[in-house]
Amino acid sequence: MWATFAFTAENGSGISVVIPTYNEYDNVELLFKELAKSIPKYVEYEVVIVDDNSPDGTWRRAIELLTEGTTVVRRINLKGLSTAVIDGIVFSLKEYVAVMDADLQHPPKYIELFLKKAVEEGADVVIGSRYMKGGGVEGWSKARLLASKAAGLIAKLFLPSIRRLSDPMSGFFLVKKQLVINNKERLNPQGFKVLLEILERCNPQKVIEVPYIFRSRVFGKSKLGSKVIIAYIIHILKLSGWRPFKFIAVGIAGTFVNLCTLLTFRYVMPLLYSELFILGSAIAIELSILFNFFLHEVWTFKDRRFGSLIHRLLLFHISSAISATAQYISAVSIKYGLSWSPLLAQFIGILIGFPVNYIFSELGIWRK
Ligand code: GDD
Ligand code: MN
């Protein structure tokens, strides 16, 4: 059945393979050979190399080896993996676009499978996944594997729409060209995770994943350095609409409400500030919780108000109580266990209690 399906230009189908390159001189020849070998003849495809004027002359090598159906885009004033991929998609002529690295860590034989899945299942995006059953990575140190998984977990905490995917950070994927073109104005590609940008900003209706093994590099070295990691964190915060910072801001404002309430009692109802402090303190805490809840409702999580308000309010109280308990336990153990100063112990307690409340809010109270 599969073999009878022809991806030809006539039926508007076929696939463009977009490959960003930077200093991959030694990989180009092998890459072209592997592509020609791995994509069956009946699949109509083109290759779009997007090189950022590599100092090692990757673009020149690609032009030397040029065959019909291959385009080399040499960008002079721009640099960056994500923007290169988006530019490559714009240059593409086919209905589907596969994006892969030039260093052969992404086996080109999967391109046919991606296309087949996309057509048969009507998917907008097909992700090559390292982290689902059957997938994997070759030759990574424990540290890099751990870092990659941690990076994925952080992204999933901040970005609910990718939570059910196993590898939304993959650099190997297929996307319908039109999906990207239709949403091009909304894209602000940066760093390495262009797939994350597409998933978050283009609102694909159907995303499927296919397992593959990420191979080790033969020539050259990875460009994923500390700059890329910082860019990654900023990228995720941006995609989240800076939600974690909003949450912190509300928390700080809530602390002021708490203290100001007490101060007000001091002048207006002095009893609550002295003999009845046991009640005054509780009222101040409750007011700050209500204040925080209200701000989260209308600001931090305004796009995530699902279900009953009372239910969310109740959950927020539970979450605040758990967070306060975590804060209390850590402050007390730091003070007595490590004999640190009370102020420092209390502050570290806050640093521990805050993420607890945030995680409950993201994953439980205002979940998507
Ligand atoms: N045009 C262009 N401009 N290409 C670039 C740039 C750039 O600034 N930086 C890197 N590339 C190209 C590389 O030449 C390679 O073909 C591809 O992008 C991936 O770069 P690597 O340096 O090999 O990245 P990696 O192997 O560490 O990371 C890969 O895996 C990650 C998942 O762990 C990439 O596929 C990432 O996109 C992916 O997130
Ligand atoms: Mn690589």
Side-chain angles (χ1 to χ4, degrees), residues 19-24 27 50-54 58 73 75 78-85 100-106 130-131 137 140 144 148 167 169-173 191-195 212 214-215 217 221-225 228:
I19 308 174
T21 59
Y22 194 74
N23 287 347
E24 304 287 359
N27 284 314
V50 186
D51 185 81
D52 288 344
N53 203 21
S54 296
T58 304
V73 180
R75 303 197 306 171
L78 275 171
K79 195 177 167 321
L81 173 51
S82 288
T83 58
V85 167
M100 65 178 282
D101 294 352
D103 51 12
L104 295 160
Q105 295 192 269
H106 299 150
R130 297 160 292 173
Y131 299 131
V137 285
W140 267 14
R144 168 120 201 226
S148 170
D167 198 0
M169 339 284 284
S170 177
F172 192 23
F173 60 92
F192 261 42
K193 309 299 179 187
V194 65
L195 175 60
Y212 85 99
F214 187 80
R215 298 189 296 204
R217 237 181 202 273
K221 58 174 194 287
S222 164
K223 281 98 206 166
L224 202 154
V228 173

Short mmCIF file of all heavy atoms in Angstrom, two decimals, residues 19-24 27 50-54 58 73 75 78-85 100-106 130-131 137 140 144 148 167 169-173 191-195 212 214-215 217 221-225 228, ligand 1:
data_model
loop_
_atom_site.label_atom_id
_atom_site.label_comp_id
_atom_site.label_asym_id
_atom_site.label_seq_id
_atom_site.Cartn_x
_atom_site.Cartn_y
_atom_site.Cartn_z
N ILE A 19 18.44 21.71 6.30
CA ILE A 19 19.60 21.35 7.13
C ILE A 19 20.41 22.60 7.47
O ILE A 19 21.06 23.18 6.60
CB ILE A 19 20.49 20.32 6.41
CG1 ILE A 19 19.63 19.13 5.96
CG2 ILE A 19 21.64 19.87 7.32
CD1 ILE A 19 20.37 18.12 5.11
N PRO A 20 20.36 23.05 8.71
CA PRO A 20 21.20 24.19 9.11
C PRO A 20 22.64 23.71 9.27
O PRO A 20 22.87 22.61 9.78
CB PRO A 20 20.62 24.58 10.48
CG PRO A 20 20.06 23.31 11.03
CD PRO A 20 19.58 22.50 9.83
N THR A 21 23.59 24.53 8.84
CA THR A 21 24.99 24.11 9.00
C THR A 21 25.84 25.26 9.51
O THR A 21 25.65 26.42 9.15
CB THR A 21 25.62 23.64 7.67
OG1 THR A 21 25.56 24.72 6.72
CG2 THR A 21 24.92 22.44 7.10
N TYR A 22 26.78 24.92 10.36
CA TYR A 22 27.80 25.87 10.79
C TYR A 22 29.06 25.06 11.08
O TYR A 22 29.07 24.21 11.97
CB TYR A 22 27.35 26.66 12.03
CG TYR A 22 28.23 27.85 12.27
CD1 TYR A 22 28.12 28.98 11.44
CD2 TYR A 22 29.21 27.84 13.25
CE1 TYR A 22 28.95 30.07 11.61
CE2 TYR A 22 30.05 28.92 13.43
CZ TYR A 22 29.92 30.04 12.61
OH TYR A 22 30.75 31.11 12.78
N ASN A 23 30.08 25.30 10.28
CA ASN A 23 31.35 24.56 10.40
C ASN A 23 31.15 23.04 10.35
O ASN A 23 31.50 22.32 11.28
CB ASN A 23 32.09 24.95 11.68
CG ASN A 23 32.69 26.34 11.58
OD1 ASN A 23 32.76 26.89 10.48
ND2 ASN A 23 33.12 26.90 12.69
N GLU A 24 30.57 22.60 9.27
CA GLU A 24 30.35 21.16 9.07
C GLU A 24 31.03 20.67 7.79
O GLU A 24 30.57 19.74 7.15
CB GLU A 24 28.84 20.85 9.00
CG GLU A 24 28.01 21.31 10.19
CD GLU A 24 28.22 20.47 11.45
OE1 GLU A 24 29.00 19.49 11.41
OE2 GLU A 24 27.61 20.82 12.47
N ASN A 27 31.44 17.04 7.10
CA ASN A 27 30.23 16.21 7.11
C ASN A 27 29.42 16.28 5.82
O ASN A 27 28.60 15.40 5.57
CB ASN A 27 29.33 16.61 8.28
CG ASN A 27 29.85 16.09 9.62
OD1 ASN A 27 30.23 14.93 9.73
ND2 ASN A 27 29.89 16.95 10.61
N VAL A 50 21.10 25.58 4.90
CA VAL A 50 21.17 26.99 5.31
C VAL A 50 22.43 27.17 6.15
O VAL A 50 22.52 26.72 7.28
CB VAL A 50 19.92 27.40 6.13
CG1 VAL A 50 19.96 28.91 6.41
CG2 VAL A 50 18.65 27.02 5.40
N ASP A 51 23.42 27.80 5.53
CA ASP A 51 24.72 27.94 6.20
C ASP A 51 24.96 29.40 6.59
O ASP A 51 24.67 30.31 5.83
CB ASP A 51 25.83 27.48 5.25
CG ASP A 51 27.17 27.48 5.95
OD1 ASP A 51 27.46 26.53 6.67
OD2 ASP A 51 27.92 28.49 5.79
N ASP A 52 25.46 29.61 7.79
CA ASP A 52 25.70 30.98 8.25
C ASP A 52 27.13 31.41 7.97
O ASP A 52 27.86 31.82 8.88
CB ASP A 52 25.34 31.11 9.74
CG ASP A 52 23.83 31.07 9.94
OD1 ASP A 52 23.11 31.25 8.95
OD2 ASP A 52 23.38 30.85 11.09
N ASN A 53 27.48 31.34 6.70
CA ASN A 53 28.79 31.81 6.26
C ASN A 53 29.90 31.16 7.09
O ASN A 53 30.81 31.86 7.57
CB ASN A 53 28.85 33.35 6.39
CG ASN A 53 29.91 33.94 5.47
OD1 ASN A 53 30.32 33.31 4.49
ND2 ASN A 53 30.36 35.13 5.80
N SER A 54 29.83 29.85 7.24
CA SER A 54 30.79 29.13 8.08
C SER A 54 32.23 29.48 7.75
O SER A 54 32.63 29.43 6.58
CB SER A 54 30.63 27.62 7.89
OG SER A 54 29.38 27.19 8.32
N THR A 58 31.89 25.60 4.81
CA THR A 58 30.87 24.54 4.60
C THR A 58 30.03 24.84 3.35
O THR A 58 29.77 23.97 2.52
CB THR A 58 29.94 24.44 5.83
OG1 THR A 58 30.72 24.21 6.99
CG2 THR A 58 28.94 23.32 5.67
N VAL A 73 21.69 27.99 0.84
CA VAL A 73 21.45 29.37 1.25
C VAL A 73 22.62 29.78 2.12
O VAL A 73 22.90 29.12 3.13
CB VAL A 73 20.13 29.49 2.06
CG1 VAL A 73 19.89 30.93 2.47
CG2 VAL A 73 18.96 28.92 1.29
N ARG A 75 23.84 32.62 4.44
CA ARG A 75 23.43 33.84 5.13
C ARG A 75 24.69 34.57 5.62
O ARG A 75 25.52 33.99 6.32
CB ARG A 75 22.52 33.51 6.32
CG ARG A 75 21.29 32.72 5.94
CD ARG A 75 20.23 32.75 7.02
NE ARG A 75 20.71 32.33 8.34
CZ ARG A 75 20.01 32.44 9.46
NH1 ARG A 75 18.79 32.96 9.41
NH2 ARG A 75 20.49 32.04 10.62
N LEU A 78 23.41 36.95 9.33
CA LEU A 78 22.59 36.34 10.37
C LEU A 78 23.28 35.10 10.89
O LEU A 78 23.99 34.42 10.17
CB LEU A 78 21.24 35.92 9.77
CG LEU A 78 20.17 36.99 9.71
CD1 LEU A 78 19.01 36.48 8.90
CD2 LEU A 78 19.72 37.37 11.10
N LYS A 79 23.04 34.82 12.16
CA LYS A 79 23.58 33.59 12.70
C LYS A 79 22.59 33.02 13.72
O LYS A 79 21.94 33.75 14.43
CB LYS A 79 24.94 33.83 13.36
CG LYS A 79 25.69 32.54 13.60
CD LYS A 79 27.05 32.77 14.17
CE LYS A 79 27.69 31.50 14.71
NZ LYS A 79 26.82 30.57 15.39
N GLY A 80 22.50 31.72 13.75
CA GLY A 80 21.62 31.09 14.73
C GLY A 80 20.88 29.92 14.13
O GLY A 80 20.33 30.01 13.03
N LEU A 81 20.89 28.83 14.85
CA LEU A 81 20.26 27.61 14.37
C LEU A 81 18.76 27.79 14.09
O LEU A 81 18.27 27.43 13.01
CB LEU A 81 20.49 26.51 15.43
CG LEU A 81 19.81 25.16 15.27
CD1 LEU A 81 20.04 24.57 13.90
CD2 LEU A 81 20.32 24.19 16.32
N SER A 82 18.04 28.36 15.04
CA SER A 82 16.58 28.46 14.87
C SER A 82 16.17 29.34 13.70
O SER A 82 15.30 28.96 12.91
CB SER A 82 15.93 28.99 16.15
OG SER A 82 15.96 28.01 17.15
N THR A 83 16.80 30.51 13.58
CA THR A 83 16.42 31.39 12.46
C THR A 83 16.81 30.74 11.13
O THR A 83 16.12 30.89 10.13
CB THR A 83 17.07 32.78 12.57
OG1 THR A 83 18.49 32.61 12.61
CG2 THR A 83 16.61 33.52 13.81
N ALA A 84 17.92 29.99 11.14
CA ALA A 84 18.34 29.30 9.91
C ALA A 84 17.27 28.29 9.48
O ALA A 84 16.94 28.18 8.30
CB ALA A 84 19.68 28.59 10.13
N VAL A 85 16.72 27.58 10.46
CA VAL A 85 15.70 26.58 10.14
C VAL A 85 14.44 27.26 9.57
O VAL A 85 13.89 26.83 8.56
CB VAL A 85 15.34 25.74 11.40
CG1 VAL A 85 14.08 24.92 11.17
CG2 VAL A 85 16.51 24.83 11.76
N MET A 100 16.72 18.49 9.90
CA MET A 100 17.71 17.61 10.53
C MET A 100 19.07 18.28 10.61
O MET A 100 19.34 19.26 9.92
CB MET A 100 17.81 16.29 9.76
CG MET A 100 18.34 16.44 8.35
SD MET A 100 18.50 14.85 7.51
CE MET A 100 20.02 14.23 8.25
N ASP A 101 19.93 17.77 11.48
CA ASP A 101 21.28 18.29 11.62
C ASP A 101 22.16 17.77 10.50
O ASP A 101 21.89 16.72 9.91
CB ASP A 101 21.87 17.88 12.97
CG ASP A 101 21.14 18.52 14.13
OD1 ASP A 101 20.28 19.39 13.88
OD2 ASP A 101 21.42 18.15 15.29
N ALA A 102 23.26 18.48 10.25
CA ALA A 102 24.16 18.09 9.17
C ALA A 102 25.17 17.05 9.61
O ALA A 102 25.87 16.47 8.79
CB ALA A 102 24.90 19.33 8.67
N ASP A 103 25.27 16.84 10.92
CA ASP A 103 26.37 16.01 11.42
C ASP A 103 26.04 14.52 11.47
O ASP A 103 26.75 13.74 12.10
CB ASP A 103 26.79 16.50 12.81
CG ASP A 103 25.61 16.63 13.76
OD1 ASP A 103 24.52 16.13 13.41
OD2 ASP A 103 25.77 17.23 14.84
N LEU A 104 24.93 14.15 10.84
CA LEU A 104 24.51 12.74 10.73
C LEU A 104 24.13 12.12 12.06
O LEU A 104 24.06 10.91 12.19
CB LEU A 104 25.60 11.91 10.04
CG LEU A 104 25.81 12.36 8.59
CD1 LEU A 104 27.14 11.93 8.06
CD2 LEU A 104 24.68 11.86 7.71
N GLN A 105 23.86 12.97 13.05
CA GLN A 105 23.36 12.41 14.32
C GLN A 105 21.90 12.02 14.15
O GLN A 105 21.37 11.23 14.91
CB GLN A 105 23.53 13.43 15.44
CG GLN A 105 25.00 13.72 15.72
CD GLN A 105 25.21 14.50 16.99
OE1 GLN A 105 25.23 15.72 16.98
NE2 GLN A 105 25.36 13.79 18.10
N HIS A 106 21.26 12.61 13.14
CA HIS A 106 19.87 12.27 12.82
C HIS A 106 19.87 11.38 11.58
O HIS A 106 20.14 11.85 10.48
CB HIS A 106 19.06 13.54 12.52
CG HIS A 106 19.00 14.49 13.68
ND1 HIS A 106 18.90 15.86 13.50
CD2 HIS A 106 19.03 14.28 15.01
CE1 HIS A 106 18.85 16.44 14.70
NE2 HIS A 106 18.93 15.51 15.63
N ARG A 130 13.92 10.87 21.06
CA ARG A 130 14.97 10.07 21.69
C ARG A 130 14.45 9.41 22.95
O ARG A 130 15.03 8.46 23.45
CB ARG A 130 16.15 10.98 22.08
CG ARG A 130 16.83 11.63 20.92
CD ARG A 130 17.61 12.84 21.37
NE ARG A 130 16.72 13.91 21.82
CZ ARG A 130 17.14 15.04 22.39
NH1 ARG A 130 18.41 15.24 22.59
NH2 ARG A 130 16.27 15.97 22.75
N TYR A 131 13.36 9.97 23.48
CA TYR A 131 12.96 9.56 24.83
C TYR A 131 11.69 8.74 24.90
O TYR A 131 11.12 8.57 25.96
CB TYR A 131 12.85 10.80 25.73
CG TYR A 131 14.16 11.54 25.84
CD1 TYR A 131 14.24 12.91 25.67
CD2 TYR A 131 15.34 10.84 26.10
CE1 TYR A 131 15.45 13.58 25.77
CE2 TYR A 131 16.55 11.50 26.20
CZ TYR A 131 16.60 12.87 26.03
OH TYR A 131 17.80 13.52 26.13
N VAL A 137 19.92 7.61 22.83
CA VAL A 137 21.08 8.40 22.43
C VAL A 137 22.32 7.54 22.51
O VAL A 137 22.46 6.72 23.41
CB VAL A 137 21.28 9.65 23.32
CG1 VAL A 137 20.27 10.72 22.99
CG2 VAL A 137 21.20 9.30 24.79
N TRP A 140 26.38 9.44 24.71
CA TRP A 140 26.28 10.63 25.57
C TRP A 140 26.77 10.26 26.96
O TRP A 140 26.48 9.18 27.47
CB TRP A 140 24.83 11.09 25.68
CG TRP A 140 24.47 12.14 24.67
CD1 TRP A 140 25.18 12.51 23.57
CD2 TRP A 140 23.29 12.96 24.67
NE1 TRP A 140 24.53 13.49 22.89
CE2 TRP A 140 23.37 13.79 23.55
CE3 TRP A 140 22.19 13.07 25.52
CZ2 TRP A 140 22.38 14.72 23.23
CZ3 TRP A 140 21.21 13.99 25.20
CH2 TRP A 140 21.31 14.81 24.07
N ARG A 144 25.45 14.63 30.26
CA ARG A 144 24.72 15.29 29.18
C ARG A 144 23.28 14.75 29.11
O ARG A 144 22.34 15.51 28.86
CB ARG A 144 25.44 15.07 27.83
CG ARG A 144 24.60 15.48 26.62
CD ARG A 144 25.17 16.56 25.71
NE ARG A 144 24.11 17.20 24.94
CZ ARG A 144 24.16 17.45 23.64
NH1 ARG A 144 25.24 17.17 22.96
NH2 ARG A 144 23.14 18.03 23.03
N SER A 148 20.04 17.05 29.58
CA SER A 148 19.00 17.09 28.56
C SER A 148 17.63 16.78 29.18
O SER A 148 16.63 17.45 28.88
CB SER A 148 19.34 16.08 27.46
OG SER A 148 18.26 15.93 26.59
N ASP A 167 9.65 14.20 23.58
CA ASP A 167 10.88 14.89 23.17
C ASP A 167 10.60 16.18 22.40
O ASP A 167 10.98 16.32 21.22
CB ASP A 167 11.75 13.95 22.33
CG ASP A 167 13.19 14.42 22.25
OD1 ASP A 167 13.51 15.47 22.84
OD2 ASP A 167 14.00 13.74 21.58
N MET A 169 12.07 18.83 22.52
CA MET A 169 13.30 19.59 22.27
C MET A 169 14.08 18.99 21.11
O MET A 169 15.21 19.39 20.86
CB MET A 169 14.21 19.57 23.49
CG MET A 169 13.52 19.25 24.78
SD MET A 169 12.63 20.64 25.30
CE MET A 169 14.00 21.53 25.87
N SER A 170 13.51 18.03 20.45
CA SER A 170 14.23 17.34 19.38
C SER A 170 14.61 18.30 18.25
O SER A 170 13.90 19.24 17.95
CB SER A 170 13.31 16.24 18.83
OG SER A 170 13.93 15.60 17.75
N GLY A 171 15.77 18.04 17.65
CA GLY A 171 16.18 18.82 16.49
C GLY A 171 15.82 18.12 15.20
O GLY A 171 16.13 18.59 14.11
N PHE A 172 15.17 16.97 15.30
CA PHE A 172 14.86 16.12 14.15
C PHE A 172 13.35 15.96 14.09
O PHE A 172 12.75 15.29 14.94
CB PHE A 172 15.54 14.75 14.37
CG PHE A 172 15.56 13.85 13.17
CD1 PHE A 172 15.46 14.35 11.88
CD2 PHE A 172 15.72 12.47 13.34
CE1 PHE A 172 15.51 13.50 10.79
CE2 PHE A 172 15.77 11.62 12.25
CZ PHE A 172 15.66 12.14 10.97
N PHE A 173 12.72 16.60 13.09
CA PHE A 173 11.26 16.56 13.05
C PHE A 173 10.76 16.91 11.64
O PHE A 173 11.52 17.35 10.79
CB PHE A 173 10.67 17.54 14.07
CG PHE A 173 11.06 18.99 13.86
CD1 PHE A 173 10.27 19.84 13.10
CD2 PHE A 173 12.24 19.50 14.41
CE1 PHE A 173 10.64 21.16 12.89
CE2 PHE A 173 12.61 20.82 14.21
CZ PHE A 173 11.81 21.65 13.45
N GLY A 191 18.04 30.71 19.79
CA GLY A 191 18.68 29.54 20.39
C GLY A 191 18.60 28.31 19.51
O GLY A 191 18.60 28.41 18.28
N PHE A 192 18.52 27.14 20.16
CA PHE A 192 18.59 25.87 19.44
C PHE A 192 17.23 25.19 19.28
O PHE A 192 17.08 24.33 18.43
CB PHE A 192 19.51 24.91 20.22
CG PHE A 192 20.90 24.84 19.66
CD1 PHE A 192 21.55 26.00 19.26
CD2 PHE A 192 21.57 23.63 19.54
CE1 PHE A 192 22.82 25.95 18.75
CE2 PHE A 192 22.85 23.56 19.03
CZ PHE A 192 23.48 24.73 18.64
N LYS A 193 16.25 25.56 20.13
CA LYS A 193 15.04 24.75 20.18
C LYS A 193 13.94 25.29 19.27
O LYS A 193 12.91 25.78 19.74
CB LYS A 193 14.53 24.65 21.62
CG LYS A 193 15.61 24.22 22.59
CD LYS A 193 16.16 22.84 22.27
CE LYS A 193 17.24 22.44 23.24
NZ LYS A 193 17.91 21.19 22.89
N VAL A 194 14.15 25.17 17.99
CA VAL A 194 13.18 25.73 17.05
C VAL A 194 11.87 24.95 17.08
O VAL A 194 10.79 25.50 16.89
CB VAL A 194 13.78 25.81 15.63
CG1 VAL A 194 14.07 24.44 15.08
CG2 VAL A 194 12.88 26.60 14.70
N LEU A 195 11.94 23.66 17.40
CA LEU A 195 10.72 22.86 17.47
C LEU A 195 9.80 23.37 18.58
O LEU A 195 8.58 23.47 18.41
CB LEU A 195 11.06 21.38 17.69
CG LEU A 195 9.86 20.45 17.92
CD1 LEU A 195 8.92 20.47 16.72
CD2 LEU A 195 10.32 19.03 18.21
N TYR A 212 13.65 7.31 17.58
CA TYR A 212 14.86 7.10 16.77
C TYR A 212 16.06 7.17 17.71
O TYR A 212 15.96 7.65 18.84
CB TYR A 212 14.98 8.17 15.67
CG TYR A 212 15.62 9.47 16.13
CD1 TYR A 212 16.97 9.74 15.88
CD2 TYR A 212 14.88 10.39 16.85
CE1 TYR A 212 17.56 10.91 16.33
CE2 TYR A 212 15.46 11.55 17.30
CZ TYR A 212 16.79 11.81 17.03
OH TYR A 212 17.38 12.97 17.50
N PHE A 214 19.57 8.79 18.44
CA PHE A 214 20.45 9.94 18.18
C PHE A 214 21.88 9.42 18.16
O PHE A 214 22.39 8.95 19.17
CB PHE A 214 20.24 10.96 19.31
CG PHE A 214 20.93 12.29 19.14
CD1 PHE A 214 20.39 13.27 18.31
CD2 PHE A 214 22.09 12.58 19.85
CE1 PHE A 214 21.01 14.51 18.19
CE2 PHE A 214 22.71 13.83 19.73
CZ PHE A 214 22.17 14.79 18.90
N ARG A 215 22.51 9.47 16.98
CA ARG A 215 23.85 8.86 16.86
C ARG A 215 24.93 9.81 17.35
O ARG A 215 24.71 11.00 17.51
CB ARG A 215 24.12 8.51 15.39
CG ARG A 215 23.12 7.50 14.85
CD ARG A 215 23.51 7.00 13.48
NE ARG A 215 23.50 8.06 12.48
CZ ARG A 215 23.35 7.82 11.17
NH1 ARG A 215 23.21 6.57 10.73
NH2 ARG A 215 23.37 8.80 10.31
N ARG A 217 28.42 11.97 16.94
CA ARG A 217 29.03 12.75 15.88
C ARG A 217 30.27 12.05 15.34
O ARG A 217 31.04 11.48 16.13
CB ARG A 217 29.48 14.09 16.45
CG ARG A 217 28.91 15.30 15.76
CD ARG A 217 29.46 16.55 16.41
NE ARG A 217 28.58 17.69 16.17
CZ ARG A 217 28.67 18.45 15.09
NH1 ARG A 217 29.58 18.21 14.17
NH2 ARG A 217 27.83 19.45 14.93
N LYS A 221 32.52 19.28 16.06
CA LYS A 221 32.00 19.20 17.42
C LYS A 221 30.70 19.99 17.59
O LYS A 221 30.37 20.84 16.75
CB LYS A 221 33.06 19.65 18.42
CG LYS A 221 33.61 21.05 18.23
CD LYS A 221 34.54 21.35 19.42
CE LYS A 221 34.86 22.82 19.52
NZ LYS A 221 35.78 23.34 18.50
N SER A 222 29.99 19.70 18.67
CA SER A 222 28.70 20.33 18.93
C SER A 222 28.87 21.82 19.22
O SER A 222 29.86 22.24 19.79
CB SER A 222 28.04 19.64 20.12
OG SER A 222 26.99 20.44 20.61
N LYS A 223 27.87 22.60 18.79
CA LYS A 223 27.93 24.04 19.04
C LYS A 223 27.09 24.41 20.26
O LYS A 223 26.81 25.57 20.51
CB LYS A 223 27.42 24.82 17.82
CG LYS A 223 28.44 24.94 16.70
CD LYS A 223 28.22 23.89 15.63
CE LYS A 223 29.52 23.58 14.89
NZ LYS A 223 29.38 22.34 14.10
N LEU A 224 26.65 23.36 20.97
CA LEU A 224 25.80 23.61 22.13
C LEU A 224 26.66 23.96 23.35
O LEU A 224 27.14 23.09 24.04
CB LEU A 224 24.95 22.36 22.40
CG LEU A 224 23.67 22.51 23.20
CD1 LEU A 224 22.70 21.41 22.82
CD2 LEU A 224 23.91 22.51 24.68
N GLY A 225 26.89 25.24 23.56
CA GLY A 225 27.73 25.68 24.68
C GLY A 225 26.92 26.42 25.72
O GLY A 225 25.69 26.39 25.70
N VAL A 228 24.28 28.84 24.55
CA VAL A 228 23.06 28.18 24.07
C VAL A 228 22.15 27.82 25.25
O VAL A 228 20.93 27.94 25.17
CB VAL A 228 23.42 26.92 23.25
CG1 VAL A 228 22.17 26.13 22.88
CG2 VAL A 228 24.19 27.31 21.99
N1 GDD B 1 22.99 27.83 10.10
C1 GDD B 1 23.40 27.52 11.34
N2 GDD B 1 23.68 28.55 12.21
N3 GDD B 1 23.50 26.25 11.72
C2 GDD B 1 23.92 25.98 12.98
C3 GDD B 1 24.21 26.99 13.92
C4 GDD B 1 24.09 28.34 13.49
O1 GDD B 1 24.33 29.29 14.24
N4 GDD B 1 24.58 26.38 15.08
C5 GDD B 1 24.52 25.05 14.87
N5 GDD B 1 24.13 24.80 13.60
C6 GDD B 1 23.91 23.50 12.96
C7 GDD B 1 25.07 22.54 13.10
O2 GDD B 1 26.00 22.70 12.07
C8 GDD B 1 24.36 21.20 13.01
O3 GDD B 1 24.08 20.83 11.69
C9 GDD B 1 23.03 21.48 13.71
O4 GDD B 1 22.82 22.89 13.62
C10 GDD B 1 23.03 21.04 15.16
O5 GDD B 1 24.12 21.62 15.84
P1 GDD B 1 25.02 20.77 16.85
O6 GDD B 1 26.05 21.69 17.37
O7 GDD B 1 25.45 19.49 16.25
O8 GDD B 1 23.95 20.52 18.01
P2 GDD B 1 23.84 19.31 19.01
O9 GDD B 1 24.10 18.01 18.37
O10 GDD B 1 24.62 19.62 20.23
O11 GDD B 1 22.29 19.45 19.37
C11 GDD B 1 21.32 18.76 18.63
O12 GDD B 1 20.54 18.07 19.51
C12 GDD B 1 19.73 18.85 20.36
C13 GDD B 1 18.96 17.97 21.29
O13 GDD B 1 19.76 17.55 22.31
C14 GDD B 1 20.43 19.71 17.80
O14 GDD B 1 19.63 18.92 16.94
C15 GDD B 1 19.53 20.56 18.64
O15 GDD B 1 18.60 21.25 17.78
C16 GDD B 1 18.77 19.66 19.55
O16 GDD B 1 17.96 20.45 20.39
#
